[in-house]
Amino acid sequence: MSSESLIKMANQIAQYFASEPDHAQAVNGVRQHMKNFWTPAMRRQLSAWQTEHPGAVLHPLVLAALTETTEGAV
């Protein structure tokens, strides 16, 4: 899958959870959705892309979820 598609999907997931008033729950919602519905390869590809392009076009909730994921949360 292309990185552009993964970025678009990840940002859409984050937009959904952005209305959650508790930031930690919103981050957990994004992380859990990606864990439940994305393949490990998709998560690795998005994490690798983010590492190569820090601060680019990813929603802050996605960035937080990826950080937790790479620190062993998944």
Side-chain angles (χ1 to χ4, degrees):
M1 181 171 281
S2 74
S3 294
E4 292 82 17
S5 294
L6 292 175
I7 292 163
K8 181 179 178 180
M9 289 189 307
N11 285 338
Q12 288 172 335
I13 294 164
Q15 281 297 105
Y16 175 81
F17 286 102
S19 63
E20 170 60 56
D22 184 324
H23 179 76
Q25 286 185 342
V27 171
N28 187 53
V30 172
R31 183 183 54 79
Q32 194 63 44
H33 181 92
M34 292 172 70
K35 182 179 178 183
N36 290 344
F37 300 106
W38 286 32
T39 66
M42 291 167 69
R43 296 192 303 265
R44 282 192 303 270
Q45 183 179 348
L46 185 63
S47 291
W49 184 89
Q50 191 277 326
T51 300
E52 294 169 13
H53 305 89
V57 301
L58 287 173
H59 191 284
L61 292 175
V62 176
L63 293 173
L66 288 175
T67 300
E68 290 182 14
T69 298
T70 58
E71 291 174 355
V74 171

